Structure formats: structure tokens, C-alpha cells
Amino acid sequence: MVSDERQAGILRKEKAMKILVYGVGVIGSFLIHSLKKSGNDITLVARDEKKEILDQNGLIIHHVFQKKTSTDHLNTVTAAPKDHFDLVISAMQGQQQIALLPTLAGIDAELFVLVGNNLKAEETKELFYELRKECFPGTDSKGVSLLFAFQGTAGVWEDGQVECVHLGHGSMSVGGLHRKPDRREKKLLTRAFSGSGYQLRWVDDMQGWLWCHAAFVLPIVYASYACGCDLRKADKALSDRMMAAIIEAYQLLDFAGVKIRPVGDQKLLFGKAYVAVIKAALRLVAKTKLGDLLATDHCANAVAEMEWLDQEFEAFRSENPSFRMPAWEALRMSMPSWEEVHQAYDKAGAANPGIAPGRADYRNWVPRGLIYGCAAGTGALGAAACGLLKAGKRVKCPVLKVATALTGVGTAALGGMTIWCIAAYRQFSYRGKRKLSKDIVEGIAEYVTLPKGGIGLDVGCGSGALTIACAKKNPQGKMMGLDRWGKEYASFSKALCERNARAEGVKNASFTQGDALKLDFEDETFDAVTSNYVYHNIPSKDRQSILMETLRVLKKGGSFAIHDIFTKARYGDMQSFVRKLRDMGYEKVELIPTSKGMFMEKSESVWMGLSGSALLVGRK
């Protein structure tokens, strides 16, 4: 017999598999990463902003528990090529999977795997094979397999990368509706993931598995919406009702003859100790950032999917009217109506998860990935410090004392950094109470005035906030936003800027890619130039030369308003620079401090690291 290790080695030496993937959400992204690790030839179907981000920066995943970041460069297409593929994987929401079936059925492949929530798996399978006959008339579909699967990952797309929570190298439960994969299917899937460490769990009844998953997650969904997608607000009574609703849902499935899968979940029907552990774990997760990653972020970003699951489960309940579920009904009634949920999160039907139609999304200057990374690092160092402390009590060793002290200091430092990041994120957020970014952008825009038919330039436009604000203030002119949209701010892109302009109803703004160090425009092109907190991020020994490059493209008589952290360490003597501009003939040149009450108070600027912020204004 051949050992598992030897078999894996043999599989890795085989020719790379051609795999087509639909779906690049959190689940699809981690699947692609795992398949790439195995050396497969991956083709990803992607569109719009996601495609632009992937083509520009690659697929960036921050693995939260593992404290590492991976980048995979992919072959992306907007439609499936007419090639033969060894494997086709679709990782999408259930209702999206059904809508995609006419496309999937027409692809030349013998194994298809649908990954994700799907409470209409039976109907999905029947429709797939009907469509397959229409796409390939006169051919036998017996050799074509359709499997269903679910991957144990969670997270969110944020700042142009995926924040992904997974255990180990990842795993997937996969099988037919009421059977385990056959030998050929197992061989293909094992080969696809060989060498990646990714675990495949063969399930004998994926329909039961998917229904059990819905029974577990829907009470969490109801509680999330009842708490405004912040499970930290859930009190003990709500947590107890959530657990009771989960148990009732499993009892309903068992009553209706649905197989409880995975088999271990049968403990939810009669295992008091198991239920107590699950309840404690749910309460613990709800009170931490993991609650966002594992539950509420997805609830806020996938309202349409959650509503679809709810409707399907309620239809199933109506088929079993004699089975009472008081805790379930009370919990479901505690959340707002689905119409109100859609209005609150404004993301139903969004072309891309995370960007709401009808509402601009200017993102945040503090990436969520930084927050999650610091939090995960704090937890890891804290656990290490506790372990070393216990070991030090048993064994007297000077090295252990030093190691304990160092990890303790590291825990405190990273913990402080986490707190600072969260506080700064809230200050900057357009949806928070302070809205500092909004105040700054609108304050700068007041200094930008265009003549009729004039054109203004915003250098380093990011998500388009300042460009759009200036365009709204100057309907008689046009604004152009320019950025290189680099990896350090991967969540910002040209597509995002354009979406934000559409969301704001702004038609006199356009966006282009370029370099602030060498603007690709003739001298005296624009009637106004502006910028906000950009140049201090550019590595340079002479940032005053960057200012001069911006002013080079300003027309005579045009105005400028450039906001940045103009400290001596970053820019040198700015008062001398102001005098230099005046000597060159620039008029009304001023360097106005904005961190002493104009945009923010001095104390606020100190703790946020914005001391020295000022607005350079004048006329050429």
C-alpha cells in the first residue's frame, strides 16, 4: 500500500490542474489561496472593482490567527473561457449560485463544486442537470458530477484585502446530497489541494449538513440584527434565547427526518454539557472582535443572503406546523423587519459586498487589517507571557524571567497600539460620531474655488472624498482626482472613487492614475490644486520639491489648498518656503495651523499623531 505522504507526493508531481473559480469573497479567496499553494493553474472570473484590485495588487489575505499575510497573483477574466477544466468551483451565496447555473452548466468540465449556504440544494441539482442537457445535447451527463461543500472560514473584505479567520491550513466539508464523494471525485479533489495542508472532510449527506448549518447561524443572525450588528450589546437574556432557538431548530430538523450533520452536532439534541460549552463560546465570541469577523460583518454585508436563508427556513417550518418553536419566534420577532434591515445597511443587491449602492464609502485612513493584526498579536503574546509565568513558578531560571518580562512588555505595547488604532479608526470614520475625516475634507474644499469651465486637481485622492467634495462645491467646473493607488492603501482604487462619485450624484468629477512626484501634465494646466495628508507618506528628503511639482501644473491666477503635517522634520523650514513663494510672485500665501482648533483641538492632534497639521493656501 502507498502511504498518505507518498500519495500526496505523487499527486504533486502530476500535471497542474486547470481550475475555474467563481466567487472571490472571503470563502472564495481562501479557497483560491489554498489551490494556488498546490500549484494549480487557476482562472478566476471577476468583475468591476474586485478585478481591478486583484489585477493591480494581487489577492492579499491577512490570516488573523496565523498572524501572516499572503499575496497571490491570479489570472482574472470577466467571463469563462471556452476551455476544458479539470474542476470548477463556485463559492457564492446560495441565491447567487442558482442564478449562475445557466453559466456553470455550459462549462466544459466533469466536476463542479458549489461552496456556500444553499437550502435549495435539491432543486439546484435538478436544474443544473436539466441545463446541462440543453448546453450539451446528445451527450451523457452521467460522468459529470455536482457536489456541495462548505468551508470553515469567516472574515471580511476590507481595505483591498481579506481579513480571514480559519483554523490551521483550512478545511472543507464536501459531498453529494445524500452520498459521500465517489473514488474519482475524491481523487480529483485530493489532487487539487495536495501539499497545501488543506483538509477535506467527506460528508454522506450535505443536504442535512447545510440545513444544520442554517439552523445554527440563523439565530445568531437574528440576534445580530436585533443588536444593530454589534453583539457586544447582547445581554444574557438574548444570549440564552439565541442558544434555545438553535436547539429548537435542530429539534425541528430531527423531527422532520433531516439527518443531523456533522454527526457530532447530535449532541445539541441531548448533550447538556456540550450545550453549555457552545453557549459559553458564543458569549465569549460575541464580546470580542471575533464576533464581528465571524458573524456581524457578514450580516451587514450580506443582507440579501440572510433574508433568503430566513425565507427558506420559514417555508420549511410552515411544512411542520405542529412543531412549536417559541424561543425561535421570540428571537426572530426581536429583530427589525427585513425592509428596515435593508434600509439600515443599504447593501441588498450591491454589485460588490462592502460597498453600498446609494451611499458613498470613503473607507478609513486606519486599515482594519492593522487593528486585527495588533489584536491577534496582543492575544498571542499575552498567552505566551502567561505560559512563561506559569513555567517560571515551577522552574527557577533567569532566562525564563527575562523572556516573561519581554513578552509582558510586548503584550502591553501591542495592546496599547490596538487601543490607539481602534480609537483613531472611530475618530476618522465617516459613520462614527466624530467624523474627523469628513470635517477636514469639507474644510479644505472651502478653499478650492473654480472659475466657470475651470478644472481642479486633487493629488493623492485615495477614495475620492476631497475630489468629490470640491466638485460638489464647484458645479460650474470640474475636478480630477489623481492617485497611484498603491498596495499600502489597497482598499482605495479608481473604481471605488467612481462608485463614490455616482453614489453622491456627482457628474463633474473624474479620476486617473498618476505619480505625485512627476505629474503627467503640462505646466499651468489646472485652475486649482489641492491635496490632503498625502505628501508626508511619500519617502523623500525634499518634500518641498513635491509641493513645487504640484504648483507647476497650476495656472497663473489659480488657487491652491494643500493640507498636510508640515513639521520641520518632514518638510524643513516651511516659513522660509512661504517667503520663497511670495518672492516668486505667489499671492496671499499662508500656512494656516489646523490642529489648534480649526479642524481639531491640539490635544486631539497630539494623541492622534497629527501635530503640525496645517493648510498651505494661496494664489499663483
Side-chain angles (χ1 to χ4, degrees):
M1 292 186 63
V2 181
S3 67
D4 291 342
E5 291 80 4
R6 180 174 171 78
Q7 180 67 24
I10 292 170
L11 290 170
R12 282 196 297 273
K13 291 176 183 178
E14 292 185 35
K15 184 180 178 181
M17 291 180 69
K18 286 192 65 176
I19 301 176
L20 180 67
V21 179
Y22 280 85
V24 67
V26 174
I27 291 175
S29 296
F30 186 74
L31 264 173
I32 293 165
H33 168 68
S34 301
L35 291 166
K36 284 284 287 184
K37 282 171 66 177
S38 298
N40 295 298
D41 178 7
I42 309 294
T43 299
L44 170 67
V45 180
R47 297 184 180 90
D48 302 322
E49 184 193 0
K50 284 281 179 69
K51 186 178 190 307
E52 183 175 333
I53 291 173
L54 294 170
D55 289 345
Q56 182 175 309
N57 302 318
L59 175 59
I60 303 173
I61 302 178
H62 175 233
H63 306 264
V64 176
F65 288 161
Q66 290 73 20
K67 295 190 298 181
K68 69 176 185 179
T69 300
S70 61
T71 302
D72 295 300
H73 295 280
L74 308 169
N75 172 35
T76 66
V77 295
T78 56
K82 294 181 179 180
D83 298 341
H84 172 79
F85 291 93
D86 299 304
L87 173 64
V88 177
I89 297 178
S90 176
M92 291 184 171
Q93 299 172 12
Q95 75 279 14
Q96 295 173 337
Q97 298 275 28
I98 295 171
L100 187 66
L101 286 179
T103 300
L104 292 176
I107 297 171
D108 182 9
E110 295 178 357
L111 178 58
F112 296 79
V113 181
L114 305 186
V115 185
N117 292 308
N118 192 339
L119 298 187
K120 301 189 80 169
E122 193 83 54
E123 296 94 323
T124 300
K125 178 183 176 181
E126 291 177 5
L127 181 57
F128 173 79
Y129 284 110
E130 287 177 11
L131 293 168
R132 185 78 182 177
K133 290 177 182 177
E134 294 176 8
C135 295
F136 297 92
T139 59
D140 189 356
S141 296
K142 288 183 179 179
V144 178
S145 300
L146 178 67
L147 299 179
F148 295 87
F150 199 91
Q151 180 179 262
T153 49
V156 64
W157 258 93
E158 181 71 22
D159 299 329
Q161 67 178 22
V162 179
E163 298 296 320
C164 188
V165 176
H166 60 89
L167 297 176
H169 296 286
S171 64
M172 182 166 67
S173 300
V174 58
L177 283 181
H178 307 294
R179 65 172 181 85
K180 286 186 178 182
D182 62 26
R183 184 176 179 181
R184 178 183 65 88
E185 294 161 349
K186 286 182 179 180
K187 182 178 179 181
L188 277 172
L189 288 172
T190 301
R191 179 183 163 198
F193 291 99
S194 65
S196 67
Y198 192 90
Q199 293 185 346
L200 293 166
R201 298 190 173 99
W202 314 121
V203 178
D204 64 350
D205 196 304
M206 272 307 293
Q207 186 173 50
W209 198 105
L210 291 168
W211 275 97
C212 289
H213 180 70
F216 191 90
V217 302
L218 276 172
I220 300 172
V221 170
Y222 300 150
S224 295
Y225 289 137
C227 295
C229 280
D230 184 359
L231 284 173
R232 296 172 186 83
K233 298 177 183 177
D235 57 17
K236 185 177 183 300
L238 185 64
S239 298
D240 289 345
R241 191 180 300 140
M242 182 167 62
M243 192 69 238
I246 291 172
I247 294 171
E248 286 178 351
Y250 272 80
Q251 290 171 341
L252 168 65
L253 296 178
D254 186 55
F255 173 81
V258 176
K259 287 186 178 180
I260 304 301
R261 293 291 184 274
V263 175
D265 278 7
Q266 292 174 354
K267 296 176 184 177
L268 283 168
L269 300 174
F270 53 82
K272 291 183 178 180
Y274 185 75
V275 169
V277 171
I278 295 295
K279 184 191 292 188
L282 286 174
R283 293 204 69 187
L284 179 64
V285 167
K287 299 300 179 183
T288 67
K289 197 68 183 175
L290 280 176
D292 296 339
L293 285 170
L294 296 176
T296 55
D297 279 343
H298 190 66
C299 288
N301 286 307
V303 176
E305 180 186 21
M306 298 302 102
E307 183 181 19
W308 183 73
L309 290 175
D310 171 69
Q311 289 173 346
E312 293 302 319
F313 207 95
E314 287 303 297
F316 182 78
R317 283 187 62 207
S318 69
E319 296 172 5
N320 299 274
S322 64
F323 194 90
R324 305 297 299 164
M325 299 176 68
W328 178 283
E329 291 171 3
L331 184 62
R332 188 169 180 268
M333 288 296 292
S334 69
M335 66 169 274
S337 69
W338 284 110
E339 182 179 358
E340 290 171 323
V341 172
H342 280 301
Q343 290 174 351
Y345 302 101
D346 203 16
K347 297 187 179 182
N352 290 300
I355 302 176
R359 183 174 64 183
D361 182 0
Y362 293 119
R363 305 295 168 93
N364 198 295
W365 296 340
V366 179
R368 275 193 179 186
L370 180 60
I371 297 174
Y372 297 147
C374 288
T378 302
L381 280 176
C386 290
L388 289 169
L389 188 62
K390 288 181 180 178
K393 290 181 179 179
R394 295 192 302 269
V395 180
K396 300 296 182 181
C397 176
V399 175
L400 273 178
K401 287 184 178 180
V402 173
T404 303
L406 289 175
T407 52
V409 171
T411 301
L414 265 180
M417 183 66 178
T418 303
I419 294 170
W420 181 89
C421 286
I422 293 171
Y425 184 94
R426 289 175 175 172
Q427 293 291 97
F428 284 129
S429 176
Y430 267 70
R431 299 173 191 174
K433 292 182 179 179
R434 176 62 178 88
K435 296 181 175 66
L436 179 58
S437 296
K438 187 173 185 288
D439 288 349
I440 293 173
V441 164
E442 292 179 352
I444 298 169
E446 288 298 315
Y447 286 84
V448 177
T449 302
L450 296 174
K452 186 175 182 179
I455 302 176
L457 176 67
D458 173 19
V459 181
C461 62
S463 61
L466 181 56
T467 310
I468 292 167
C470 293
K472 291 169 75 173
K473 180 180 175 288
N474 293 276
Q476 74 283 1
K478 296 180 180 179
M479 283 295 301
M480 176 182 289
L482 176 143
D483 204 302
R484 70 185 188 88
W485 293 298
K487 290 184 179 180
E488 61 272 25
Y489 281 96
S491 65
F492 298 157
S493 67
K494 181 181 177 182
L496 175 63
C497 292
E498 291 170 344
R499 287 179 63 85
N500 284 337
R502 289 195 297 271
E504 296 277 13
V506 170
K507 297 181 179 180
N508 60 328
S510 61
F511 302 91
T512 188
Q513 192 164 20
D515 186 354
L517 295 174
K518 190 176 182 181
L519 297 171
D520 192 21
F521 303 107
E522 298 292 333
D523 294 354
E524 301 184 11
T525 299
F526 297 96
D527 297 280
V529 291
T530 188
S531 184
N532 180 35
Y533 282 144
V534 173
Y535 303 143
H536 76 273
N537 289 314
I538 301 175
S540 176
K541 294 181 180 179
D542 183 12
R543 290 192 176 88
Q544 291 185 13
S545 66
I546 304 177
L547 295 174
M548 292 306 300
E549 172 63 9
T550 301
L551 296 175
R552 176 184 66 80
V553 299
L554 180 64
K555 291 180 180 178
K556 289 183 179 178
S559 62
F560 57 91
I562 300 171
H563 188 239
D564 207 354
I565 304 174
F566 287 111
T567 58
K568 191 169 185 178
R570 289 184 170 94
Y571 277 90
D573 188 348
M574 280 302 296
Q575 293 302 326
S576 294
F577 184 74
V578 168
R579 290 193 294 271
K580 174 184 173 181
L581 292 181
R582 290 170 181 166
D583 292 342
M584 294 172 65
Y586 286 79
E587 301 174 349
K588 299 180 180 180
V589 183
E590 293 182 76
L591 188 64
I592 306 170
T594 60
S595 57
K596 297 179 179 179
M598 183 174 174
F599 293 158
M600 69 200 88
E601 296 300 325
K602 184 176 180 180
S603 58
E604 186 179 26
S605 71
V606 170
W607 76 260
M608 292 189 72
L610 300 176
S611 295
S613 293
L615 186 62
L616 181 66
V617 298
R619 186 173 300 278
K620 189 172 183 180

